[in-house]
Amino acid sequence: MTDVVAHDAELDASGLNCPLPLLKAKMELNRLASGAVLKVIATDAGSQRDFRTFARLAGHTLLREEDDAGVYRYWLKKA
């Protein structure tokens, strides 16, 4: 799959288990300006549920998510 969404920062959380991908993403989002897009790469299947819920509760926008043979990619736009 290809990057179809432009992003301002990228976080590779491959190999990390829940809740670390989400925690690292939250830390990275804190560094970014409002409206910036963070691309996250994860391998934890639970990250799908985590990122959907996090985006909804925190007010961020989950622009896109991909699942490519167990590699999950998320594009989060900071509120």
Side-chain angles (χ1 to χ4, degrees):
M1 299 207 168
T2 60
D3 290 350
V4 294
V5 179
H7 52 280
D8 302 290
E10 184 172 319
L11 171 67
D12 187 353
S14 299
L16 299 178
N17 293 320
C18 180
L20 289 175
L22 184 59
L23 292 175
K24 289 189 173 284
K26 286 174 68 172
M27 290 173 51
E28 188 66 23
L29 281 169
N30 286 340
R31 295 183 339 96
L32 298 175
S34 180
V37 176
L38 173 64
K39 176 183 175 184
V40 181
I41 302 167
T43 52
D44 181 17
S47 67
Q48 290 181 303
R49 178 194 64 246
D50 292 345
F51 277 94
R52 290 173 190 155
T53 302
F54 168 67
R56 187 178 72 249
L57 294 176
H60 304 305
T61 303
L62 183 58
L63 298 173
R64 182 174 176 90
E65 61 180 292
E66 295 179 353
D67 174 1
D68 184 17
V71 176
Y72 306 94
R73 293 178 190 86
Y74 308 95
W75 286 264
L76 287 163
K77 184 175 183 179
K78 184 175 178 177

PDB file of all heavy atoms in Angstrom, residues 13-18 21 41-52 65-67 69-74:
ATOM      1  N   ALA A  13       5.972   2.259  15.542  1.00  0.00           N
ATOM      2  CA  ALA A  13       5.756   1.532  16.798  1.00  0.00           C
ATOM      3  C   ALA A  13       5.704   0.029  16.545  1.00  0.00           C
ATOM      4  O   ALA A  13       5.124  -0.715  17.326  1.00  0.00           O
ATOM      5  CB  ALA A  13       4.471   2.022  17.461  1.00  0.00           C
ATOM      6  N   SER A  14       6.323  -0.412  15.469  1.00  0.00           N
ATOM      7  CA  SER A  14       6.350  -1.835  15.136  1.00  0.00           C
ATOM      8  C   SER A  14       7.009  -2.631  16.250  1.00  0.00           C
ATOM      9  O   SER A  14       8.015  -2.205  16.824  1.00  0.00           O
ATOM     10  CB  SER A  14       7.139  -2.060  13.845  1.00  0.00           C
ATOM     11  OG  SER A  14       6.535  -1.380  12.775  1.00  0.00           O
ATOM     12  N   GLY A  15       6.422  -3.774  16.575  1.00  0.00           N
ATOM     13  CA  GLY A  15       6.984  -4.649  17.594  1.00  0.00           C
ATOM     14  C   GLY A  15       6.573  -4.301  19.010  1.00  0.00           C
ATOM     15  O   GLY A  15       6.871  -5.047  19.940  1.00  0.00           O
ATOM     16  N   LEU A  16       5.887  -3.185  19.194  1.00  0.00           N
ATOM     17  CA  LEU A  16       5.439  -2.787  20.531  1.00  0.00           C
ATOM     18  C   LEU A  16       4.022  -3.289  20.766  1.00  0.00           C
ATOM     19  O   LEU A  16       3.183  -3.263  19.868  1.00  0.00           O
ATOM     20  CB  LEU A  16       5.476  -1.268  20.680  1.00  0.00           C
ATOM     21  CG  LEU A  16       6.848  -0.611  20.509  1.00  0.00           C
ATOM     22  CD1 LEU A  16       6.723   0.900  20.626  1.00  0.00           C
ATOM     23  CD2 LEU A  16       7.830  -1.145  21.532  1.00  0.00           C
ATOM     24  N   ASN A  17       3.772  -3.735  21.981  1.00  0.00           N
ATOM     25  CA  ASN A  17       2.450  -4.233  22.335  1.00  0.00           C
ATOM     26  C   ASN A  17       1.658  -3.170  23.087  1.00  0.00           C
ATOM     27  O   ASN A  17       2.231  -2.246  23.672  1.00  0.00           O
ATOM     28  CB  ASN A  17       2.565  -5.501  23.184  1.00  0.00           C
ATOM     29  CG  ASN A  17       3.145  -6.651  22.396  1.00  0.00           C
ATOM     30  OD1 ASN A  17       2.823  -6.838  21.227  1.00  0.00           O
ATOM     31  ND2 ASN A  17       4.012  -7.422  23.023  1.00  0.00           N
ATOM     32  N   CYS A  18       0.361  -3.350  23.093  1.00  0.00           N
ATOM     33  CA  CYS A  18      -0.562  -2.459  23.780  1.00  0.00           C
ATOM     34  C   CYS A  18      -0.118  -2.279  25.231  1.00  0.00           C
ATOM     35  O   CYS A  18       0.274  -3.264  25.859  1.00  0.00           O
ATOM     36  CB  CYS A  18      -1.958  -3.070  23.711  1.00  0.00           C
ATOM     37  SG  CYS A  18      -3.227  -2.103  24.510  1.00  0.00           S
ATOM     38  N   PRO A  21       2.070   1.493  21.604  1.00  0.00           N
ATOM     39  CA  PRO A  21       1.886   2.276  20.371  1.00  0.00           C
ATOM     40  C   PRO A  21       1.033   3.526  20.603  1.00  0.00           C
ATOM     41  O   PRO A  21       1.358   4.616  20.114  1.00  0.00           O
ATOM     42  CB  PRO A  21       1.197   1.292  19.418  1.00  0.00           C
ATOM     43  CG  PRO A  21       1.653  -0.051  19.894  1.00  0.00           C
ATOM     44  CD  PRO A  21       1.702   0.089  21.399  1.00  0.00           C
ATOM     45  N   ILE A  41       2.861   3.604  12.480  1.00  0.00           N
ATOM     46  CA  ILE A  41       2.982   2.233  11.982  1.00  0.00           C
ATOM     47  C   ILE A  41       3.042   1.330  13.208  1.00  0.00           C
ATOM     48  O   ILE A  41       3.844   1.558  14.115  1.00  0.00           O
ATOM     49  CB  ILE A  41       4.259   2.060  11.138  1.00  0.00           C
ATOM     50  CG1 ILE A  41       4.250   3.040   9.969  1.00  0.00           C
ATOM     51  CG2 ILE A  41       4.383   0.613  10.645  1.00  0.00           C
ATOM     52  CD1 ILE A  41       5.595   3.166   9.278  1.00  0.00           C
ATOM     53  N   ALA A  42       2.171   0.323  13.249  1.00  0.00           N
ATOM     54  CA  ALA A  42       2.115  -0.584  14.397  1.00  0.00           C
ATOM     55  C   ALA A  42       1.909  -2.014  13.906  1.00  0.00           C
ATOM     56  O   ALA A  42       1.459  -2.234  12.790  1.00  0.00           O
ATOM     57  CB  ALA A  42       0.982  -0.178  15.333  1.00  0.00           C
ATOM     58  N   THR A  43       2.251  -2.965  14.769  1.00  0.00           N
ATOM     59  CA  THR A  43       2.045  -4.373  14.443  1.00  0.00           C
ATOM     60  C   THR A  43       1.117  -5.056  15.440  1.00  0.00           C
ATOM     61  O   THR A  43       0.801  -6.228  15.271  1.00  0.00           O
ATOM     62  CB  THR A  43       3.389  -5.124  14.385  1.00  0.00           C
ATOM     63  OG1 THR A  43       4.121  -4.866  15.589  1.00  0.00           O
ATOM     64  CG2 THR A  43       4.215  -4.684  13.189  1.00  0.00           C
ATOM     65  N   ASP A  44       0.683  -4.343  16.452  1.00  0.00           N
ATOM     66  CA  ASP A  44      -0.227  -4.887  17.462  1.00  0.00           C
ATOM     67  C   ASP A  44      -1.662  -4.801  16.950  1.00  0.00           C
ATOM     68  O   ASP A  44      -2.171  -3.713  16.680  1.00  0.00           O
ATOM     69  CB  ASP A  44      -0.075  -4.099  18.755  1.00  0.00           C
ATOM     70  CG  ASP A  44      -0.974  -4.612  19.866  1.00  0.00           C
ATOM     71  OD1 ASP A  44      -1.469  -5.753  19.758  1.00  0.00           O
ATOM     72  OD2 ASP A  44      -1.184  -3.873  20.846  1.00  0.00           O
ATOM     73  N   ALA A  45      -2.325  -5.944  16.805  1.00  0.00           N
ATOM     74  CA  ALA A  45      -3.695  -5.974  16.279  1.00  0.00           C
ATOM     75  C   ALA A  45      -4.655  -5.161  17.148  1.00  0.00           C
ATOM     76  O   ALA A  45      -5.615  -4.590  16.642  1.00  0.00           O
ATOM     77  CB  ALA A  45      -4.184  -7.406  16.153  1.00  0.00           C
ATOM     78  N   GLY A  46      -4.388  -5.085  18.429  1.00  0.00           N
ATOM     79  CA  GLY A  46      -5.245  -4.300  19.327  1.00  0.00           C
ATOM     80  C   GLY A  46      -5.175  -2.812  19.066  1.00  0.00           C
ATOM     81  O   GLY A  46      -6.027  -2.052  19.527  1.00  0.00           O
ATOM     82  N   SER A  47      -4.178  -2.392  18.310  1.00  0.00           N
ATOM     83  CA  SER A  47      -4.039  -0.965  18.030  1.00  0.00           C
ATOM     84  C   SER A  47      -5.206  -0.433  17.206  1.00  0.00           C
ATOM     85  O   SER A  47      -5.527   0.751  17.290  1.00  0.00           O
ATOM     86  CB  SER A  47      -2.702  -0.675  17.325  1.00  0.00           C
ATOM     87  OG  SER A  47      -2.672  -1.240  16.027  1.00  0.00           O
ATOM     88  N   GLN A  48      -5.863  -1.296  16.433  1.00  0.00           N
ATOM     89  CA  GLN A  48      -7.007  -0.844  15.641  1.00  0.00           C
ATOM     90  C   GLN A  48      -8.094  -0.275  16.556  1.00  0.00           C
ATOM     91  O   GLN A  48      -8.570   0.837  16.347  1.00  0.00           O
ATOM     92  CB  GLN A  48      -7.572  -1.993  14.810  1.00  0.00           C
ATOM     93  CG  GLN A  48      -6.659  -2.407  13.677  1.00  0.00           C
ATOM     94  CD  GLN A  48      -7.262  -3.542  12.870  1.00  0.00           C
ATOM     95  OE1 GLN A  48      -7.574  -4.598  13.400  1.00  0.00           O
ATOM     96  NE2 GLN A  48      -7.418  -3.311  11.590  1.00  0.00           N
ATOM     97  N   ARG A  49      -8.475  -1.026  17.538  1.00  0.00           N
ATOM     98  CA  ARG A  49      -9.479  -0.569  18.502  1.00  0.00           C
ATOM     99  C   ARG A  49      -8.978   0.652  19.263  1.00  0.00           C
ATOM    100  O   ARG A  49      -9.696   1.634  19.447  1.00  0.00           O
ATOM    101  CB  ARG A  49      -9.812  -1.705  19.465  1.00  0.00           C
ATOM    102  CG  ARG A  49     -10.806  -1.347  20.553  1.00  0.00           C
ATOM    103  CD  ARG A  49     -10.846  -2.399  21.666  1.00  0.00           C
ATOM    104  NE  ARG A  49      -9.559  -2.464  22.357  1.00  0.00           N
ATOM    105  CZ  ARG A  49      -8.730  -3.526  22.332  1.00  0.00           C
ATOM    106  NH1 ARG A  49      -9.046  -4.610  21.684  1.00  0.00           N
ATOM    107  NH2 ARG A  49      -7.592  -3.495  22.981  1.00  0.00           N
ATOM    108  N   ASP A  50      -7.714   0.593  19.701  1.00  0.00           N
ATOM    109  CA  ASP A  50      -7.153   1.668  20.510  1.00  0.00           C
ATOM    110  C   ASP A  50      -7.144   3.005  19.773  1.00  0.00           C
ATOM    111  O   ASP A  50      -7.542   4.028  20.327  1.00  0.00           O
ATOM    112  CB  ASP A  50      -5.722   1.326  20.938  1.00  0.00           C
ATOM    113  CG  ASP A  50      -5.658   0.173  21.913  1.00  0.00           C
ATOM    114  OD1 ASP A  50      -6.703  -0.195  22.491  1.00  0.00           O
ATOM    115  OD2 ASP A  50      -4.557  -0.376  22.086  1.00  0.00           O
ATOM    116  N   PHE A  51      -6.684   3.014  18.520  1.00  0.00           N
ATOM    117  CA  PHE A  51      -6.570   4.271  17.794  1.00  0.00           C
ATOM    118  C   PHE A  51      -7.933   4.835  17.414  1.00  0.00           C
ATOM    119  O   PHE A  51      -8.127   6.052  17.432  1.00  0.00           O
ATOM    120  CB  PHE A  51      -5.667   4.118  16.566  1.00  0.00           C
ATOM    121  CG  PHE A  51      -4.213   4.237  16.925  1.00  0.00           C
ATOM    122  CD1 PHE A  51      -3.455   3.115  17.197  1.00  0.00           C
ATOM    123  CD2 PHE A  51      -3.599   5.477  17.029  1.00  0.00           C
ATOM    124  CE1 PHE A  51      -2.119   3.218  17.548  1.00  0.00           C
ATOM    125  CE2 PHE A  51      -2.269   5.590  17.388  1.00  0.00           C
ATOM    126  CZ  PHE A  51      -1.527   4.457  17.650  1.00  0.00           C
ATOM    127  N   ARG A  52      -8.889   3.979  17.088  1.00  0.00           N
ATOM    128  CA  ARG A  52     -10.242   4.453  16.781  1.00  0.00           C
ATOM    129  C   ARG A  52     -10.855   5.133  18.013  1.00  0.00           C
ATOM    130  O   ARG A  52     -11.425   6.226  17.925  1.00  0.00           O
ATOM    131  CB  ARG A  52     -11.130   3.292  16.333  1.00  0.00           C
ATOM    132  CG  ARG A  52     -10.762   2.747  14.982  1.00  0.00           C
ATOM    133  CD  ARG A  52     -11.573   1.504  14.676  1.00  0.00           C
ATOM    134  NE  ARG A  52     -11.060   0.844  13.473  1.00  0.00           N
ATOM    135  CZ  ARG A  52     -11.200  -0.440  13.220  1.00  0.00           C
ATOM    136  NH1 ARG A  52     -11.834  -1.224  14.081  1.00  0.00           N
ATOM    137  NH2 ARG A  52     -10.715  -0.965  12.115  1.00  0.00           N
ATOM    138  N   GLU A  65      -6.880   4.522   7.942  1.00  0.00           N
ATOM    139  CA  GLU A  65      -6.181   3.399   8.566  1.00  0.00           C
ATOM    140  C   GLU A  65      -6.059   2.293   7.534  1.00  0.00           C
ATOM    141  O   GLU A  65      -6.920   2.142   6.672  1.00  0.00           O
ATOM    142  CB  GLU A  65      -6.886   2.909   9.826  1.00  0.00           C
ATOM    143  CG  GLU A  65      -8.291   2.411   9.630  1.00  0.00           C
ATOM    144  CD  GLU A  65      -8.913   1.933  10.927  1.00  0.00           C
ATOM    145  OE1 GLU A  65      -8.455   0.907  11.461  1.00  0.00           O
ATOM    146  OE2 GLU A  65      -9.848   2.589  11.406  1.00  0.00           O
ATOM    147  N   GLU A  66      -4.957   1.576   7.599  1.00  0.00           N
ATOM    148  CA  GLU A  66      -4.689   0.475   6.673  1.00  0.00           C
ATOM    149  C   GLU A  66      -4.224  -0.738   7.451  1.00  0.00           C
ATOM    150  O   GLU A  66      -3.562  -0.609   8.481  1.00  0.00           O
ATOM    151  CB  GLU A  66      -3.579   0.854   5.677  1.00  0.00           C
ATOM    152  CG  GLU A  66      -3.918   1.971   4.743  1.00  0.00           C
ATOM    153  CD  GLU A  66      -2.757   2.315   3.804  1.00  0.00           C
ATOM    154  OE1 GLU A  66      -1.641   1.772   3.974  1.00  0.00           O
ATOM    155  OE2 GLU A  66      -2.977   3.131   2.907  1.00  0.00           O
ATOM    156  N   ASP A  67      -4.557  -1.903   6.945  1.00  0.00           N
ATOM    157  CA  ASP A  67      -4.075  -3.170   7.485  1.00  0.00           C
ATOM    158  C   ASP A  67      -3.461  -3.919   6.313  1.00  0.00           C
ATOM    159  O   ASP A  67      -4.150  -4.315   5.389  1.00  0.00           O
ATOM    160  CB  ASP A  67      -5.237  -3.957   8.088  1.00  0.00           C
ATOM    161  CG  ASP A  67      -4.829  -5.365   8.539  1.00  0.00           C
ATOM    162  OD1 ASP A  67      -3.642  -5.730   8.409  1.00  0.00           O
ATOM    163  OD2 ASP A  67      -5.706  -6.092   9.011  1.00  0.00           O
ATOM    164  N   ALA A  69      -1.300  -7.099   5.887  1.00  0.00           N
ATOM    165  CA  ALA A  69      -0.669  -8.328   6.375  1.00  0.00           C
ATOM    166  C   ALA A  69      -0.105  -8.170   7.788  1.00  0.00           C
ATOM    167  O   ALA A  69       1.027  -8.552   8.073  1.00  0.00           O
ATOM    168  CB  ALA A  69       0.410  -8.787   5.410  1.00  0.00           C
ATOM    169  N   GLY A  70      -0.915  -7.588   8.681  1.00  0.00           N
ATOM    170  CA  GLY A  70      -0.492  -7.459  10.069  1.00  0.00           C
ATOM    171  C   GLY A  70       0.327  -6.226  10.378  1.00  0.00           C
ATOM    172  O   GLY A  70       0.791  -6.052  11.495  1.00  0.00           O
ATOM    173  N   VAL A  71       0.510  -5.358   9.406  1.00  0.00           N
ATOM    174  CA  VAL A  71       1.142  -4.060   9.644  1.00  0.00           C
ATOM    175  C   VAL A  71       0.028  -3.022   9.515  1.00  0.00           C
ATOM    176  O   VAL A  71      -0.624  -2.919   8.478  1.00  0.00           O
ATOM    177  CB  VAL A  71       2.274  -3.769   8.647  1.00  0.00           C
ATOM    178  CG1 VAL A  71       2.838  -2.375   8.875  1.00  0.00           C
ATOM    179  CG2 VAL A  71       3.372  -4.818   8.773  1.00  0.00           C
ATOM    180  N   TYR A  72      -0.183  -2.294  10.603  1.00  0.00           N
ATOM    181  CA  TYR A  72      -1.272  -1.329  10.663  1.00  0.00           C
ATOM    182  C   TYR A  72      -0.707   0.072  10.546  1.00  0.00           C
ATOM    183  O   TYR A  72       0.297   0.399  11.178  1.00  0.00           O
ATOM    184  CB  TYR A  72      -2.039  -1.487  11.982  1.00  0.00           C
ATOM    185  CG  TYR A  72      -2.501  -2.903  12.202  1.00  0.00           C
ATOM    186  CD1 TYR A  72      -1.730  -3.800  12.946  1.00  0.00           C
ATOM    187  CD2 TYR A  72      -3.667  -3.372  11.619  1.00  0.00           C
ATOM    188  CE1 TYR A  72      -2.130  -5.112  13.121  1.00  0.00           C
ATOM    189  CE2 TYR A  72      -4.078  -4.691  11.787  1.00  0.00           C
ATOM    190  CZ  TYR A  72      -3.303  -5.550  12.535  1.00  0.00           C
ATOM    191  OH  TYR A  72      -3.697  -6.852  12.705  1.00  0.00           O
ATOM    192  N   ARG A  73      -1.367   0.876   9.726  1.00  0.00           N
ATOM    193  CA  ARG A  73      -0.946   2.267   9.548  1.00  0.00           C
ATOM    194  C   ARG A  73      -2.136   3.165   9.843  1.00  0.00           C
ATOM    195  O   ARG A  73      -3.251   2.902   9.407  1.00  0.00           O
ATOM    196  CB  ARG A  73      -0.456   2.501   8.123  1.00  0.00           C
ATOM    197  CG  ARG A  73       0.816   1.759   7.805  1.00  0.00           C
ATOM    198  CD  ARG A  73       1.242   1.988   6.343  1.00  0.00           C
ATOM    199  NE  ARG A  73       2.318   1.084   5.988  1.00  0.00           N
ATOM    200  CZ  ARG A  73       2.144  -0.167   5.549  1.00  0.00           C
ATOM    201  NH1 ARG A  73       0.946  -0.650   5.395  1.00  0.00           N
ATOM    202  NH2 ARG A  73       3.187  -0.922   5.246  1.00  0.00           N
ATOM    203  N   TYR A  74      -1.847   4.251  10.564  1.00  0.00           N
ATOM    204  CA  TYR A  74      -2.883   5.210  10.952  1.00  0.00           C
ATOM    205  C   TYR A  74      -2.384   6.611  10.645  1.00  0.00           C
ATOM    206  O   TYR A  74      -1.213   6.932  10.858  1.00  0.00           O
ATOM    207  CB  TYR A  74      -3.180   5.117  12.452  1.00  0.00           C
ATOM    208  CG  TYR A  74      -3.473   3.724  12.908  1.00  0.00           C
ATOM    209  CD1 TYR A  74      -2.473   2.908  13.446  1.00  0.00           C
ATOM    210  CD2 TYR A  74      -4.744   3.176  12.766  1.00  0.00           C
ATOM    211  CE1 TYR A  74      -2.737   1.624  13.857  1.00  0.00           C
ATOM    212  CE2 TYR A  74      -5.021   1.881  13.167  1.00  0.00           C
ATOM    213  CZ  TYR A  74      -4.022   1.115  13.712  1.00  0.00           C
ATOM    214  OH  TYR A  74      -4.277  -0.175  14.097  1.00  0.00           O
TER     215      TYR A  74
END
